[in-house]
Amino acid sequence: MSAIKAWLIRTLFILSTLGGLDHAYGNEPLTIYFYNPEINITRNTLLKNTFDLYLKALGDYQFQPVDNNKTFETLIKNEANAIFMMSNWHYLQIKNTQPNTSFSLALRGIKGGSDSFHKILVSKDPQLDLSTMSLATSGNKEYSLAILNNIAYRASAKKLSQNPFSNLNMLSVPKDIDALMAVGFDLADAALTTKSSLVKLSTIYKNQHQALHILGESQALRRIVVTFKQSTNMKVRALLSELRQMENNKQGRRGLNMLGLDSWQLVNESIMQAKVQKGRPVQ
């Protein structure tokens, strides 16, 4: 055995032992990083299991939920060959506060034929003192406060427009429908939820639904988005294409349902066509 051949075998053995063989050949799984302040992180484990089952049959892909925005934004900064799934609200925040961050929209979520929705503030008491209320919400504190302030800005009632929500007591719940249930069972004074969840409640608990009042409504909010940094990566383009087809697969529909979606809408056709000019994707 030649010295060169012996050295090569030893090198490959070391790489394999250290878990670096896949890295040496560029065969690491492509990761979808997920962070959404609109939903409770307690659902992340189930979400990961559901998406991983879908992705496993498609190729060397994995789904990785992230628990906080700081870690997620660090990943966006450092991970070039990855896909990022996030709320549109968070996407706009990053674009506004970190203009040098280079990543682009690929897909946007669709539900009921629409890419937007409204959040509503609901309570049993139409004269609720919002400065001392307890609020049931599926979103994190930063997101929930932002939506409440948007509702307050839009509302004509002085009790909303003058309320700073400084003493807000939040009850974290898994889903929007659970926020309504919390109000119905007197676990919270108000719920930050959606109209579709309010309609759903009317089919489950009619009496509870009849006792509720809508105190305010947010502006139209765009649904969750899928973003990327390098569309010239063949693996990235392939996975974006698979995500777009999720509605045509039983396991894929389960994943969409967990995100509150029916399908994905392609934002820019050039992403899939992967046109390249001077070594860079055309946006």
Side-chain angles (χ1 to χ4, degrees):
M1 180 182 296
S2 69
I4 294 177
K5 187 174 182 180
W7 174 85
L8 180 59
I9 291 174
R10 286 197 301 272
T11 301
L12 292 177
F13 175 77
I14 291 171
L15 284 171
S16 179
T17 303
L18 296 177
L21 189 58
D22 281 347
H23 180 74
Y25 286 103
N27 290 328
E28 290 182 321
L30 178 61
T31 302
I32 301 174
Y33 291 106
F34 172 86
Y35 175 70
N36 186 358
E38 297 174 4
I39 67 174
N40 197 304
I41 62 172
T42 58
R43 304 181 68 202
N44 279 355
T45 299
L46 182 57
L47 194 61
K48 175 174 173 56
N49 292 339
T50 302
F51 265 83
D52 278 348
L53 280 174
Y54 170 69
L55 296 172
K56 183 179 180 181
L58 303 176
D60 197 15
Y61 309 125
Q62 64 181 358
F63 187 85
Q64 185 57 59
V66 179
D67 290 343
N68 63 84
N69 64 341
K70 185 176 181 180
T71 300
F72 188 71
E73 289 176 16
T74 299
L75 288 166
I76 292 175
K77 181 179 179 181
N78 297 331
E79 295 284 334
N81 294 318
I83 289 174
F84 303 93
M85 194 178 292
M86 69 185 79
S87 72
N88 186 73
W89 175 81
H90 191 197
Y91 170 76
L92 293 177
Q93 268 199 329
I94 295 174
K95 297 293 281 187
N96 290 334
T97 61
Q98 304 174 40
N100 293 328
T101 300
S102 177
F103 68 131
S104 304
L105 285 180
L107 307 171
R108 187 183 297 281
I110 299 294
K111 175 71 173 181
S114 174
D115 68 354
S116 63
F117 66 100
H118 294 263
K119 281 284 190 177
I120 54 175
L121 184 63
V122 176
S123 177
K124 288 182 178 180
D125 182 3
Q127 303 300 322
L128 181 66
D129 183 354
L130 302 180
S131 64
T132 60
M133 72 174 176
S134 58
L135 178 75
T137 176
S138 61
N140 69 13
K141 186 173 183 178
E142 182 184 9
Y143 171 78
S144 298
L145 284 174
I147 301 305
L148 282 175
N149 282 317
N150 178 257
I151 291 173
Y153 179 79
R154 286 167 51 84
S156 59
K158 290 184 179 180
K159 63 179 180 181
L160 280 178
S161 59
Q162 294 180 354
N163 177 61
F165 305 111
S166 57
N167 298 316
L168 189 65
N169 180 27
M170 289 190 182
L171 172 65
S172 181
V173 296
K175 296 184 292 185
D176 287 330
I177 185 70
D178 298 317
L180 290 168
M181 298 283 282
V183 174
F185 289 108
D186 296 322
L187 300 176
D189 297 321
L192 190 60
T193 186
T194 59
K195 285 185 176 179
S196 60
S197 294
L198 193 59
V199 171
K200 184 177 181 180
L201 182 71
S202 69
T203 65
I204 304 173
Y205 294 105
K206 186 176 181 180
N207 291 337
Q208 284 192 16
H209 175 265
Q210 291 176 339
L212 297 176
H213 303 272
I214 297 177
L215 305 183
E217 181 176 342
S218 75
Q219 68 182 50
L221 304 167
R222 305 295 287 274
R223 298 190 187 277
I224 189 171
V225 297
V226 176
T227 70
F228 67 99
K229 293 178 75 173
Q230 290 194 28
S231 69
T232 52
N233 183 303
M234 291 292 291
K235 208 169 183 180
V236 169
R237 294 206 312 274
L239 182 49
L240 289 173
S241 180
E242 294 291 357
L243 290 177
R244 191 187 178 196
Q245 301 301 319
M246 284 184 72
E247 63 184 293
N248 299 323
N249 176 282
K250 184 178 180 180
Q251 186 63 32
R253 288 192 294 273
R254 288 173 179 165
L256 287 169
N257 183 64
M258 288 200 66
L259 297 176
L261 303 176
D262 296 328
S263 62
W264 292 109
Q265 178 186 62
L266 184 62
V267 175
N268 191 336
E269 290 288 344
S270 66
I271 292 168
M272 296 306 179
Q273 296 168 359
K275 295 179 181 178
V276 178
Q277 185 177 40
K278 295 183 180 180
R280 299 181 66 86
V282 177
Q283 302 297 336

